[in-house]
Amino acid sequence: MKQNHLGLLALATMVGQTAMAQRATPERPNIVFILADDMGYGDLSCFGSKHVKTPNIDRLSATGTTFTQCYAGSGISSPSRCSLMTGLNSGHGRIRDNQCPTGGRVGIKVSTKGDTTYIHRTNLMPTDTTLATVLSAAGYRTCLVNKWHLDGYDPGAAPNHRGFHEFYGWTISTVHSNSPYYYPYYRFNGDELINIKENRRDRHVRHNTDISADDAIAFISRQKDADNPFFLYLAFDAPHEPFIIEQKTWRWHDIDEPFATPEAKEQAQRYAALIEHMDAAVGRVISYLEEQGLRENTIVIFASDNGAAIQAPLPQLRCNGGFRGRKAQLYEGGIRVPLIVNQPGRVPARRLENQVYFPDFMPTLAHLAQGEQHLPQKTDGMDISPLFFGGEADTDHRLLYWEFPGKQRAARLGNWKVVTIKKGAPLELYNLKDDPGEQHNLADEYPEMVQLMDEAMRRMRTPSECWPLPGE
């Protein structure tokens, strides 16, 4: 029965592609979604950075719509990307943490220091509807470049087995496919593991950011004359630690800030260089779209998967934009991220304070692709595309929800936010309009609001095979 189900799904996808085959137009555009990895809210110059120069991303912001209250799907990679790909929050999604307490598969986790441990991870299943599934069914050619992080330890759960037509990058299930991370020797082309010959014997020649930009441009080149639009999900590694980039290949900042050691200052310089290097890669992709006459028919979206990591130079570069917290926490610094949307002639230049988050992209991109009929029965997001094109949408009168099951919970409703980042600790309450830095806990002053949001949060989650515990 499962095989029959998958066969019918594939047939429906082919029928959809045939029925919807047509070139991209401004109204039904190509979609390029660019995602940074562990880049904080304040790491772009258009979001206030005084040290990191990002002229290409700044240009997207200056000529497009910038969202100042966008939230990632989680405070860490896998559940955040699951939320992006499935339209479900971390109380409903298949993947709710980077590792799971039960179920899943056991595999090796290698730290940046080379230490290995065995952990459980779960992965997206064939029955999960992804953005790629929806857009493929709507007639789009779909491609993921670089980081997936939703395969757990199942080699059969790579992106080209979860809705993407093409995949170029690395997977969790094949540890060495992205080692030594920024200068990899092994890399996937679909199911085939290929070699980056320039990086053999641990030589640092081709940086992964450049490889990813090259793969993205190659995909666009193959699609520029196609009779169907395309969806390119370009998921960079930068600036995720370890901060590896050769000094000879990039500009190094003389950061005039206090550091504990010279090594800490060099780490900050490398961190800044990784972001600027990624900005240059974004510029290359945008320039290629322009050179090929594709720009007006292509919407470009830029975001980060979560806040800056603890290894990032948080105080010196103000990576979290002045917010409290960091990656792996549900304070604003861990989940509030930059979001920029740009399409010449259609997306106006403005900054919006609307509250949006990753589950919104499933219904939003389905609408752009005219593929709403392919949406799953349930999503936790809403179509925010009117905000892209100068319109309005009431995004601020709904509950946004996050959890690390059994560890942390958070929710936002209007200006109110409740959060706890310790197991068993009481909920803290903040008014983000008056206190965006989450410095003044109002839980004792408004116990009825805490209770109201606590009850609402309990309705926002369902137990799962891998996370049966309540999100407390």
Side-chain angles (χ1 to χ4, degrees), residues 240-410:
H240 193 293
E241 52 88 28
F243 311 134
I244 300 174
I245 184 169
E246 291 300 316
Q247 187 166 357
K248 62 185 178 182
T249 65
W250 204 249
R251 181 173 70 93
W252 293 87
H253 294 268
D254 184 17
I255 301 173
D256 186 21
E257 298 289 347
F259 290 93
T261 64
E263 291 77 15
K265 181 173 183 178
E266 182 178 335
Q267 282 282 78
Q269 292 172 318
R270 291 181 179 277
Y271 181 86
L274 283 168
I275 297 173
E276 293 191 356
H277 188 202
M278 176 179 62
D279 177 78
V282 170
R284 282 211 291 135
V285 173
I286 300 301
S287 294
Y288 187 78
L289 289 167
E290 293 172 344
E291 292 166 6
Q292 300 302 317
L294 301 173
R295 193 62 186 89
E296 292 184 359
N297 291 347
T298 302
I299 190 167
V300 175
I301 302 170
F302 180 89
S304 179
D305 68 337
N306 48 247
I310 188 62
Q311 298 90 346
L314 297 175
Q316 291 87 358
L317 298 192
R318 204 168 175 265
C319 301
N320 57 6
F323 293 118
R324 182 180 182 180
R326 53 169 174 78
K327 174 185 176 178
Q329 295 180 336
L330 297 181
Y331 289 123
E332 294 291 283
I335 55 176
R336 194 186 291 205
V337 295
L339 173 63
I340 300 167
V341 180
N342 188 289
Q343 185 184 0
R346 295 207 71 211
V347 175
R350 59 177 184 165
R351 293 178 77 89
L352 296 180
E353 296 182 356
N354 293 74
Q355 297 164 27
V356 300
Y357 77 149
F358 276 17
D360 294 333
F361 285 109
M362 173 67 87
T364 299
L365 299 192
H367 176 79
L368 294 181
Q370 299 175 16
E372 293 98 327
Q373 69 273 26
H374 304 294
L375 283 170
Q377 290 185 341
K378 177 177 175 55
T379 68
D380 291 312
M382 63 178 290
D383 177 10
I384 60 171
S385 62
L387 298 173
F388 295 177
F389 306 116
E392 299 180 358
D394 184 9
T395 62
D396 299 353
H397 293 88
R398 57 179 177 150
L399 190 78
L400 309 183
Y401 178 72
W402 304 265
E403 70 171 57
F404 289 115
K407 303 174 185 176
Q408 303 183 36
R409 291 188 298 158

Side-chain angles (χ1 to χ4, degrees), residues 26-92:
E27 294 74 26
R28 187 168 176 262
N30 302 312
I31 302 168
V32 176
F33 197 110
I34 304 173
L35 194 67
D37 193 354
D38 286 7
M39 190 192 75
Y41 185 89
D43 278 331
L44 300 173
S45 45
C46 56
F47 273 77
S49 177
K50 296 180 180 179
H51 295 285
V52 185
K53 305 302 180 185
T54 51
N56 296 292
I57 300 172
D58 292 351
R59 195 172 303 114
L60 291 176
S61 174
T63 60
T65 293
T66 301
F67 291 82
T68 60
Q69 297 196 74
C70 174
Y71 290 94
S74 180
I76 55 177
S77 184
S78 288
S80 185
R81 291 161 195 263
C82 179
S83 181
L84 174 65
M85 281 290 109
T86 65
L88 298 174
N89 65 38
S90 51
H92 294 139

Side-chain angles (χ1 to χ4, degrees), residues 132-281:
T133 307
V134 172
L135 297 181
S136 294
Y140 277 61
R141 182 74 178 179
T142 58
C143 176
L144 169 65
V145 170
N146 199 49
K147 183 172 180 176
W148 175 232
H149 228 247
L150 301 177
D151 58 296
Y153 293 116
D154 182 359
N160 51 314
H161 297 280
R162 297 295 183 266
F164 284 94
H165 294 108
E166 300 183 35
F167 164 53
Y168 309 93
W170 60 278
T171 65
I172 298 170
S173 56
T174 307
V175 176
H176 61 279
S177 66
N178 200 41
S179 177
Y181 209 73
Y182 280 114
Y183 292 93
Y185 177 58
Y186 296 98
R187 191 170 174 83
F188 277 103
N189 180 339
D191 288 328
E192 181 185 2
L193 197 59
I194 64 171
N195 297 135
I196 308 299
K197 295 181 180 180
E198 297 91 331
N199 292 338
R200 70 178 61 170
R201 292 189 289 275
D202 198 28
R203 290 186 297 180
H204 290 188
V205 178
R206 288 190 70 194
H207 196 275
N208 199 43
T209 296
D210 297 319
I211 297 170
S212 298
D214 291 343
D215 287 340
I217 290 171
F219 170 74
I220 296 170
S221 176
R222 293 192 297 273
Q223 294 303 308
K224 66 180 186 293
D225 297 320
D227 290 329
N228 54 274
F230 63 79
F231 169 51
L232 169 62
Y233 176 26
L234 174 53
F236 287 111
D237 288 329
H240 193 293
E241 52 88 28
F243 311 134
I244 300 174
I245 184 169
E246 291 300 316
Q247 187 166 357
K248 62 185 178 182
T249 65
W250 204 249
R251 181 173 70 93
W252 293 87
H253 294 268
D254 184 17
I255 301 173
D256 186 21
E257 298 289 347
F259 290 93
T261 64
E263 291 77 15
K265 181 173 183 178
E266 182 178 335
Q267 282 282 78
Q269 292 172 318
R270 291 181 179 277
Y271 181 86
L274 283 168
I275 297 173
E276 293 191 356
H277 188 202
M278 176 179 62
D279 177 78

Side-chain angles (χ1 to χ4, degrees), residues 436-449:
E438 297 172 294
Q439 297 300 310
H440 307 290
N441 182 5
L442 303 175
D444 291 340
E445 296 180 44
Y446 300 95
E448 68 284 354
M449 178 58 69

